[in-house]
Structure formats: C-alpha cells, structure tokens
Amino acid sequence: MNRIDRLFSQDLKVINMGLESFSKDLKKQEVPVVQMDWRPRAGGNAKLVALLDKLKSNK
Amino acid sequence: MICYEVRKNSYYDSVTLMLISKEVKNIEGVKDVMVGMGTDLNKELSNNLGLGSEKLDELSPNDFFISADVVDEAIMEQVVERVNGLLKEKKSSAGSDYRPATIKSALEMMPEANMAVVSIAGQYAEGEVSRLLDNDLHVMLFSDNVSVEAELRLKQKAVDKGLLMMGPDCGTAIINGVPLAFANVVKKGPIGIVGASGTGTQEVSTLIDKLGSGLSQVIGTGGRDLKSEIGGLMMLQGFEALMRDESTEVIVLISKPPSPEVAEKILGKVSETKKPVVVDFIGGDIEAIKAAGAYPCLTLEDAAYKAVALAKGETPVDFTGFSLSDEAIDKVVTSKVAALKPEQKYFRGLFTGGTLADEAMKMLGQSFGGIYSNIPLSPEYAIENLTTLSGHVCLDLGEDQFTVGRPHPMIDPSTRSDRFKTDIANDVAVVLVDVVLGYGSHENPAKEVADAIHEVNKKLDNNVIYVASITGTEGDPQDLKASQSVLEAEGFIVMPSNAQAVRLVQKIMDQLNKKGA
C-alpha cells in the first residue's frame, strides 16, 4: 500500500521539531505529539557538522 | 547604557524570543532591547539597533543573549527578571513531558509516528528533514530560507519513497481532519485540496466549510512547488493521492500561475481522473484549465463555490457577485462615499495573507489607477521607500521586509498595527484588511485590528471607510461571531470573503471617481 494512502487511513501521530505552539495546538485537539528539544547540531558550527557527517558516513 | 546578559548553551525558539523582546521593550527605562540566540542574523540586527558588541560576535546559535539599551543597571536587572519570568511561564505551560533531542529518541518514544512538523531555522532544515524521510515519516516543513536545490533534493527523496514533503514555507495543511501549523477547523467532507499558497488555501477551505460542505484532506506544497526548478513534484504527489482517496470526490488545486511546462504537466495529470477538478491558478491561463476538462476559477471564493456545487452533483456557475442583494450593497456604498471629503482619494490594502493581497490587486487591476506594492503586479509599481507611501497602496505585511526580527503578522498583529499608524492618513478613502483565524494565528486578531484602528481614528480629521473579511470558521479557537462584532463595532464593513470585500472596495472607488468627475 502506498505510504500516503496508509497515512490517510491512520490516526495522525506527530513529532514536532521547532515551534512549541504547534505542539500545544495539537495537544488541545488530543492529537498525540512528541515535542523535540531540538538545537543546532555541533552548536551550529558548519565545519563540525561536516566532520560529524563524514564520520557517520565512514562508519 | 548598553548592558548584556549571555547564557551559553541555552536554546529557545525564535518566535518565543521575538515575542519576549516585544514584551520587555515596554518596561519603563528601556530604550531598546533584543532577546535572541547568537545567530548571524541576530548579531546583525543587534548591530543595526546599536546593541552589538564583540561579546555577541563570539556567540554560537546555541547561546542565548539579552542586549539592552537601558537608563541604568537596576532597569537591566528588571529586564533580566522579566525575561526569566516569561521563559519560566512558557516552560510550565508546555508541560513537563520528556523532550527527546534526536529523531532516534523521538521515534523510540513514539514508534508509530507518521508525521513530522518542522519549523527550525531554515539553514538546518535539509539535514533534519532528510533524516525524517529516511525514517519513513511524512513531513510538513514550515521553515523558510531553504534553498531551491535543497527543496528539490528533499522532494525527490519523498517522491521516491511515496511520502509527503509539504514545504518549505508550507503554512497550512489539514491531514485526517487535524489542522497543522496555520489551519482552520473545518468540517469533514468530500472535497480535497492541494495548495501551493497558504492563506489562499485557508480562504478556500473556510469558505467550503461556511457553504455547508467539508474537506477530506488539505495538502500544502510550499509556494515554489510549481516553479520549473521543482516541477510540481508535491502537487502531483498530492493530486495522485487524492485521485486514489475514496473519501475525496472533488479535488481543488490552488497556486499562483505555474511555469508553463509545469502547468502542462499538472493539467495532463488532471485529465487522467474522472473526479471533478477545480483549478485556481490565481490569474493564470483559464483556457488551458478548461481544455484539461477542469473547472477554472475567477477568485478563491469562486473555487469554493464551484467545489461545493460539484460535490452536490450540481453544475458549477461563476460566482462574481455579493451574498447581499445589489440594492443593499449600493445603499452602503452611496452613504459611505457621500461622507468622504474631497481630499480622500486613495486605497490602502494592508494584508497579513500574501495570496489575499495578490488576489485583491489582480481583481482591482488598473480600474482606478495603478496600485503600489511590495509584491507589485508589475515592476513599475514596486515600492522603493516603505516609510512614506503615496497613491494607492496594497501591502503584504508577511513579506521579509516587515518580518526581520519579528514574528509573522498573523502571530504578532503589532506589525500591522504599526503600519496602520503610518499608512492611514487624511487622504485615504478606503482601507481593506484581512483577518485570519485558526490554529497558529494570534488568539484575537480582530480585536487587535479594531483597537489599533480606534487609536488611528482619534488622530484623523476624516472618516475613512474600513472594509474587512475574516478567513475563519465557527469551529476555530477564536470566536468567529465575536471577531465580526468587534470589527463592526469599530465601523468596519465585514464581508463574507476576500473577493467580496475587494468588489465592495471597487464599487466604493468607482462611485468616488464618479463623484470627483
């Protein structure tokens, strides 16, 4: 079954990465939601991020 | 004196911090203040405000800072205390649930998750969304500032995997009846929408609800999807899904005019389905839509009327008039125009919804002269200087030039309230505004508009004609009826749709010009 067709037949379960107000709105509607404690990887340092990605792809 | 407070490795989202900045600015003794994360943009904004320093230059996007121009240190202490209070308030209202820092741990908490809503800073979005798609999650990407190249890579991955990747800059979607980000509470029903324009989609979906029908799914694509670089990947993906979906009997497609080859591709797909398809390529080629066997539209409201007619098995007809009788409309126009003074000549459209502003300008065309704008229909009407306006003007206040360092005016209406003060003068005849309700929007935008206009009117010598439309439903968290009443109490004529509000403005300007002649 196509993944979008499957989505349309399921209850929505949401991961929210970013603005918390979106999570709060979903909670008000009793939609299951996990709010992430997201922050930029490697403190937003682009060089470090590239290194991390390289390490990961070498694994 | 300029004072600083820095906290390393304390992350908060940008909208929260922008709203806190606004709040602490009101403390007496504070000349200016910036509360933010140490991003390059925030460092630049601080410098522009005269609040920058080497101390801030060293910060990373994970470091939190307050920089303030205050009369003395005691005031700075008050600022810090107030910021702490507001951050604490926010934390307790968000609940004490555990918050995973990685996608892996989020999926451990919710293994059956099927949708991710992403609203982080645009430069970090590609990596995170790519990982979410790798984990077979559908994505709504609200963030803007994502490159076209990144958008294409993400959408190609989503198409390969049969997933939705709505965005970037996707403001609205309703999946399985659940409004995501900026969306209204609408009844369930037989009409499915794929929309490349946020407020345009909100307008059509709320009007379908008001006309007594309902929505099966509302899929957003982000505003660039139908440009040639992206090729309509997500509109095609969404359209095919609605073709298969048994709950969807009528399909509505909404976008600004696509590039010709993308229009051809989309309309080619349209001709493959037996389901009726209503297409609003706002101001686009109507003949091509007809040739594909679809129903073209004149306005967003017309799209809603046609979709509802088709869902009932009726033949759709163009809706170009008013819900009220022509006599009633003419009576309003005549009495309002009679009260205008000779120097009142100009039109002001002050919008929070970009598509609604665009629709207004397209409907009005050149009928009473060119309209200057930050999103002009042709380059000669681009506004160079936003501080002093002249002639007829229509602004999209959600565009970047108004939102640097401030939340979108649908979240924080003060952006528009400030423009009311500067943009409505004694030479203005008629002001047109939109008020967008629903999840994501401010808790009472109508009251914010009414209060701001109340203050503006105190300073004006002339009576300006105020016209509004409300994009909202009875089910929205804001009270639709109360929103209408609060605007009417301030003298607004509240019309049932943006299209009807624009038509009323047209009649007012026509009558005004006849009076002048």
Side-chain angles (χ1 to χ4, degrees):
Chain A
M1 192 183 193
N2 178 289
R3 286 195 170 104
I4 303 176
D5 301 355
R6 200 180 308 146
L7 172 73
F8 289 170
S9 68
Q10 291 171 332
D11 287 334
L12 206 62
K13 292 188 174 160
V14 181
I15 290 175
N16 188 47
M17 185 190 283
L19 303 179
E20 287 189 31
S21 56
F22 294 161
S23 274
K24 283 187 214 163
D25 286 347
L26 289 167
K27 275 186 194 157
K28 272 184 222 153
Q29 301 169 77
E30 296 177 2
V31 175
V33 54
V34 170
Q35 170 67 39
M36 282 183 65
D37 180 21
W38 182 88
R39 53 187 70 200
R41 288 170 78 212
N45 182 322
K47 271 189 194 163
L48 265 180
V49 172
L51 266 176
L52 280 175
D53 285 345
K54 209 172 169 191
L55 277 174
K56 212 174 171 188
S57 62
N58 287 343
K59 249 195 220 173
Chain B
M1 61 190 292
I2 314 274
C3 296
Y4 298 96
E5 166 89 7
V6 168
R7 284 170 214 162
K8 294 262 181 191
N9 282 313
S10 302
Y11 186 80
Y12 304 98
D13 73 63
S14 58
V15 174
T16 300
L17 296 181
M18 285 189 264
L19 293 171
I20 288 178
S21 281
K22 198 185 128 201
E23 186 90 5
V24 291
K25 222 177 191 170
N26 296 329
I27 297 174
E28 217 177 306
V30 176
K31 291 178 199 157
D32 219 332
V33 60
M34 168 125 196
V35 183
M37 303 305 299
T39 59
D40 290 342
L41 176 70
N42 284 341
K43 289 176 199 169
E44 195 187 320
L45 280 172
S46 300
N47 283 330
N48 293 345
L49 293 170
L51 299 171
S53 96
E54 282 175 10
K55 222 179 204 173
L56 297 188
D57 291 343
E58 292 160 10
L59 300 185
S60 87
N62 270 343
D63 303 328
F64 165 85
F65 74 88
I66 308 170
S67 60
D69 186 359
V70 288
V71 292
D72 58 36
E73 277 174 15
I75 297 292
M76 185 62 185
E77 274 171 33
Q78 267 189 48
V79 168
V80 174
E81 206 174 300
R82 183 82 187 113
V83 170
N84 287 342
L86 289 165
L87 286 171
K88 203 170 158 193
E89 231 169 68
K90 185 183 116 66
K91 210 169 182 187
S92 58
S93 73
S96 55
D97 300 344
Y98 172 69
R99 292 153 173 245
T102 64
I103 295 168
K104 191 169 168 250
S105 50
L107 280 167
E108 276 163 12
M109 273 182 81
M110 190 187 265
E112 65 288 12
N114 45 22
M115 174 68 68
V117 179
V118 178
S119 53
I120 58 177
Q123 72 263 40
Y124 306 112
E126 184 181 9
E128 300 293 355
V129 172
S130 187
R131 276 184 281 281
L132 290 162
L133 295 170
D134 286 338
N135 282 286
D136 296 339
L137 287 162
H138 300 276
V139 175
M140 174 176 191
L141 176 54
F142 179 81
S143 317
D144 55 5
N145 293 320
V146 176
S147 71
V148 178
E149 296 77 19
E151 176 174 352
L152 183 61
R153 285 191 288 271
L154 291 172
K155 283 187 169 165
Q156 277 169 337
K157 181 179 260 194
V159 169
D160 289 344
K161 299 191 68 137
L163 291 164
L164 290 174
M165 206 304 281
M166 302 182 279
D169 208 6
C170 176
T172 190
I174 305 172
I175 303 295
N176 302 343
V178 178
L180 296 171
F182 287 79
N184 303 84
V185 179
V186 296
K187 290 187 277 291
K188 280 205 170 184
I191 300 168
I193 300 180
V194 191
S197 122
T199 41
T201 304
Q202 284 189 271
E203 175 81 349
V204 176
S205 62
T206 53
L207 289 169
I208 286 171
D209 179 276
K210 282 177 185 164
L211 290 169
S213 190
L215 283 304
S216 55
Q217 305 288 349
V218 176
I219 299 168
T221 67
R224 289 190 306 225
D225 193 68
L226 277 74
K227 290 196 183 281
S228 54
E229 294 91 329
I230 308 295
L233 283 176
M234 216 27 62
M235 185 162 276
L236 288 166
Q237 178 94 323
F239 183 76
E240 284 173 5
L242 294 182
M243 275 169 72
R244 293 189 302 269
D245 178 35
E246 284 174 9
S247 312
T248 302
E249 292 164 25
V250 177
I251 303 173
V252 180
L253 303 180
I254 305 164
S255 167
K256 287 187 183 164
S259 68
E261 74 274 19
V262 179
E264 201 182 317
K265 215 188 311 175
I266 304 268
L267 293 174
K269 184 57 75 180
V270 164
S271 58
E272 287 175 21
T273 180
K274 285 193 180 126
K275 294 184 184 182
V277 183
V278 175
V279 180
D280 191 5
F281 286 157
I282 306 156
D285 180 2
I286 282 183
E287 291 310 315
I289 295 168
K290 277 188 194 161
Y295 298 89
C297 305
L298 304 168
T299 62
L300 296 162
E301 180 180 44
D302 187 41
Y305 268 88
K306 282 179 175 150
V308 172
L310 287 161
K312 286 186 195 158
E314 296 167 1
T315 307
V317 287
D318 291 345
F319 184 84
T320 54
F322 292 98
S323 304
L324 282 171
S325 70
D326 286 349
E327 292 76 27
I329 294 288
D330 289 341
K331 204 173 149 193
V332 172
V333 172
T334 307
S335 73
K336 288 283 180 184
V337 172
L340 292 176
K341 294 199 183 138
E343 68 266 29
Q344 291 183 272
K345 290 177 191 158
Y346 297 115
F347 160 69
R348 291 281 178 278
L350 296 166
F351 284 86
T352 58
T355 312
L356 302 176
D358 185 56
E359 180 177 69
M361 288 192 290
K362 282 178 178 153
M363 287 178 69
L364 294 171
Q366 292 276 351
S367 57
F368 52 79
I371 300 171
Y372 291 88
S373 178
N374 61 327
I375 51 162
L377 295 186
S378 60
E380 69 264 36
Y381 292 107
I383 294 182
E384 302 290 328
N385 182 355
L386 284 162
T387 50
T388 47
L389 302 183
S390 58
H392 305 298
V393 177
C394 186
L395 297 178
D396 169 10
L397 298 167
E399 277 289 305
D400 292 350
Q401 59 264 64
F402 299 107
T403 57
V404 176
R406 316 179 66 150
H408 190 282
M410 272 159 62
I411 301 174
D412 175 8
S414 69
T415 306
R416 178 159 67 178
S417 301
D418 291 348
R419 294 302 309 191
F420 287 155
K421 287 181 212 153
T422 54
D423 300 353
I424 306 173
N426 282 318
D427 60 355
V428 170
V430 55
V431 173
L432 173 62
V433 301
D434 61 337
V435 174
V436 183
L437 309 184
Y439 281 108
S441 284
H442 185 268
E443 61 187 10
N444 196 348
K447 186 173 182 303
E448 295 283 324
V449 168
D451 288 351
I453 291 298
H454 187 78
E455 291 307 310
V456 168
N457 282 340
K458 280 188 196 168
K459 291 182 184 153
L460 291 176
D461 303 324
N462 297 338
N463 290 319
V464 173
I465 305 171
Y466 293 103
V467 180
S469 71
I470 303 174
T471 301
T473 70
E474 294 282 352
D476 281 332
Q478 304 87 347
D479 189 328
L480 176 63
K481 280 193 183 130
S483 297
Q484 177 157 351
S485 304
V486 78
L487 289 169
E488 285 172 346
E490 200 47 54
F492 274 88
I493 308 168
V494 180
M495 300 301 285
S497 68
N498 186 53
Q500 291 194 43
V502 176
R503 265 182 224 121
L504 184 71
V505 166
Q506 171 100 61
K507 278 194 172 262
I508 289 168
M509 293 303 288
D510 287 351
Q511 183 126 349
L512 182 64
N513 287 335
K514 268 187 221 155
K515 187 175 147 187

